[in-house]
Amino acid sequence: MKFSDKVVYQIYPKSFCDSNGDGLGDIRGIIGKLDYIASLGVDYIWSTPFFVSPMNDNGYDVANYREIDPRFGTMADVEELIAEADKRGLGLMFDMVFNHTSTQHEWFQRALNGEQKYLDYYIFRDGTPDKPPTNWVSKFGGNAWEFVPHLGKWYLHLFDVSQADLNWENPEVREELKAVLRFWKDKGVKGFRFDVVNLISKPAEFVDDTQGDGRRFYTDGRHVHEFLKELVRDSGIDDMITVGEMSSTSLENCIRYSNPDEHELSMVFNFHHLKVDYKDGDKWSLMPADISALKKLFETWQVGMSKHGGWNAVFWCNHDQPRIVSRLGDDEHFHNESAKMLAAAIHLMRGTPYIYQGEELGMTNAKYTSIAQYRDVESLNYFKILRDAGKSEADALKILGERSRDNGRTPMQWSAEKFAGFSSVEPWISSPDNFTRFNVDTEERDENSVLNFYRQLVRLRKSKKIISDGAIDFIERDNLDVLAYRRTLDAETLIVLCNLRGVESSLTEKSLAEYCAQGYKKILGNFDGLNENLRPFEVVVLEK
Ligand code: GLC
């Protein structure tokens, strides 16, 4: 697979590095940290959007796809970023939010003026204010339609009311989006991440969903594969690294999205493994992670994709997810052990690994105690929804504390200095107190840090073809504590054993002593030596 030996580093610019002292991260801040990123050994940088935007959803509400929001910098800064990254062997991947635009986008504004051409760019339906066209629910809460009184029409917004869904059935819309891709390709961008791209194809008829929130009508929709093929072909990006964010998708569709023979995308993100702690599938109901479900999902996706030529982006964290060390690890008692074990679990699987800024430091959840500390539109909406549903303030805060996207958006922790070295002034969003321990400065100086473990994992991928290209199968399948898999390539075997529990766990199929007796050697772990059992959150990687 083309990108199997590559590693991607994700940046959320608003929280990465503030170069001009306004409390917000910016492009020049990224330029100043390129040497650090290169030192991780990664190949690509995916940056979330910095295009002109009212920032209701931190840039995922794009008002102009070809201009840089002044809060982040200028076009000259972006050109310098691309060139400077290139000098260090780093390719930039830009984030294309093509399912919707901001309602501030010129196209939507002209639609509001009643221009038919632009009304056809979006999904408008005639109606009366008392009855939305369907009962579909927005991903950020509430009905997914908004009424525009002076037009007498509703428009569809699967996300915030300020994010209007584009009408991909209209060929003119598709041409506009291809032109955006060509524009950035010409500027030297090396790849693209496509936001919620499996939601672009809507049904022919808009009807109520009597069984759910509407997603079954537009997820992996009727023309999505055609639209992707056309987009990739006509914008000339088939050779570039591309990744699609796939919301509530299926294995079958992801095989098609990512199998090279289909000429759609190079890889896909799916999120099923990050819902194993959603009670009844509801993000806002807490439950301890179901480890057995997690193991089954990894097996289904890893083996299923590989059988049919699909390719996964493998990841735990991004700007929409809580921090993994707080979620599946133990950030108080086994911080380093669990952060390292979780890193190895992902990086040694079959797929292209993504590291989200700060994950390589073991950054934790935000640990906020008041609603005033939150910034995210989804979190603020749901706080209100939870309170209206009768939850106490304390309970609602507990839920946000575990589930809010702001957990992943706190400032990158560069040092133990004030504001974590992110900015010289109070940042737009605050840091957890533990930044004094988990930061680049401190971890650079400790050879056993989480940071240096990530570097080791990236190096290992570069030096061992079995990691990038080997086959995968799962072992210890009935073990409720240990996630374990085997990679094979020619005569080589690699065994990865991850104790997902904060207590000692035993192997059920073969003991560590038996592996050693068979000639396996430990090549990586987060504890010294080998024990009879796996220690809490221990990972052991064996090779033969
Ligand atoms: C994706 C982005 C998320 C954004 C949403 C709507 O899920 O990752 O941050 O809010 O799409 O664009």
Side-chain angles (χ1 to χ4, degrees), residues 39-53:
S39 81
L40 301 173
V42 301
D43 305 278
Y44 291 98
I45 298 172
W46 150 33
S47 172
T48 65
F50 37 60
F51 311 110
V52 170
S53 163

Side-chain angles (χ1 to χ4, degrees), residues 84-365:
E84 286 299 318
D86 199 51
K87 280 187 199 158
R88 293 164 177 81
L90 296 166
L92 259 303
M93 292 167 73
F94 279 11
D95 202 327
M96 297 290 119
V97 190
F98 284 172
N99 175 68
H100 43 265
T101 73
S102 162
T103 49
Q104 298 290 307
H105 196 290
E106 188 194 343
W107 302 336
F108 194 83
Q109 289 297 311
R110 295 179 73 169
L112 287 184
N113 280 341
E115 288 182 48
Q116 192 56 49
K117 173 177 160 85
Y118 291 102
L119 283 165
D120 292 340
Y121 272 39
Y122 295 90
I123 300 170
F124 279 97
R125 287 290 175 275
D126 291 332
T128 49
D130 51 307
K131 202 187 166 308
T134 68
N135 65 349
W136 300 1
V137 182
S138 150
K139 307 257 180 198
F140 291 165
N143 186 275
W145 296 89
E146 181 73 8
F147 190 66
V148 184
H150 75 271
L151 294 173
K153 292 179 195 296
W154 294 83
Y155 68 86
L156 179 69
H157 61 91
L158 294 182
F159 293 87
D160 189 53
V161 34
S162 65
Q163 293 166 301
D165 280 57
L166 283 165
N167 174 19
W168 276 69
E169 301 299 318
N170 179 352
E172 282 181 60
V173 167
R174 305 204 296 275
E175 290 311 315
E176 296 268 17
L177 301 177
K178 292 172 198 169
V180 172
L181 292 178
R182 287 190 290 258
F183 175 84
W184 287 114
K185 188 184 169 193
D186 288 348
K187 292 242 179 239
V189 166
K190 296 290 189 303
F192 296 100
R193 179 254 189 195
F194 293 99
D195 192 59
V196 291
V197 75
N198 67 327
L199 309 185
I200 56 177
S201 175
K202 310 297 194 282
E205 304 271 332
F206 288 83
V207 292
D208 278 349
D209 189 351
T210 50
Q211 295 162 31
D213 60 7
R215 71 181 64 190
R216 66 198 173 100
F217 295 127
Y218 56 74
T219 303
D220 301 316
R222 60 200 172 122
H223 294 136
V224 67
H225 294 285
E226 269 162 72
F227 288 163
L228 277 173
K229 285 183 172 67
E230 181 190 307
L231 183 79
V232 166
R233 182 192 64 222
D234 293 356
S235 49
I237 61 166
D238 198 16
D239 282 341
M240 300 169 80
I241 181 169
T242 53
V243 56
E245 184 200 27
M246 305 301 175
S247 166
S248 304
T249 188
S250 69
L251 174 61
E252 190 196 0
N253 277 291
C254 284
I255 291 166
R256 292 179 66 190
Y257 293 130
S258 64
N259 183 317
D261 297 340
E262 299 283 337
H263 300 283
E264 294 183 17
L265 303 172
S266 19
M267 61 193 89
V268 288
F269 292 119
N270 86 77
F271 296 90
H272 296 287
H273 65 296
L274 295 174
K275 296 183 180 172
V276 295
D277 50 7
Y278 290 8
K279 195 167 164 216
D280 304 320
D282 174 15
K283 171 168 174 176
W284 307 98
S285 296
L286 302 181
M287 142 182 133
D290 178 343
I291 299 295
S292 145
L294 180 73
K295 289 183 51 161
K296 283 206 189 89
L297 281 164
F298 276 135
E299 177 162 2
T300 305
W301 280 83
Q302 287 279 308
V303 175
M305 289 288 265
S306 89
K307 256 195 195 148
H308 303 283
W311 193 252
N312 286 302
V314 287
F315 72 106
W316 288 123
C317 299
N318 67 27
H319 62 291
D320 296 328
Q321 297 293 330
R323 293 289 182 175
I324 201 62
V325 65
S326 305
R327 190 173 184 183
L328 290 183
D330 180 339
D331 66 12
E332 275 185 36
H333 306 99
F334 294 102
H335 176 272
N336 282 22
E337 294 81 359
S338 57
K340 291 179 187 176
M341 178 277 292
L342 290 163
I346 283 290
H347 279 248
L348 303 175
M349 278 188 191
R350 181 179 177 277
T352 300
Y354 282 63
I355 303 171
Y356 175 59
Q357 65 179 52
E359 178 185 341
E360 77 278 20
L361 308 171
M363 274 179 61
T364 70
N365 278 350

Side-chain angles (χ1 to χ4, degrees), residues 487-501:
R487 306 292 311 272
T488 46
L489 185 72
D490 306 323
E492 283 172 58
T493 309
L494 194 81
I495 303 277
V496 182
L497 304 163
C498 303
N499 181 4
L500 295 172
R501 307 282 183 189

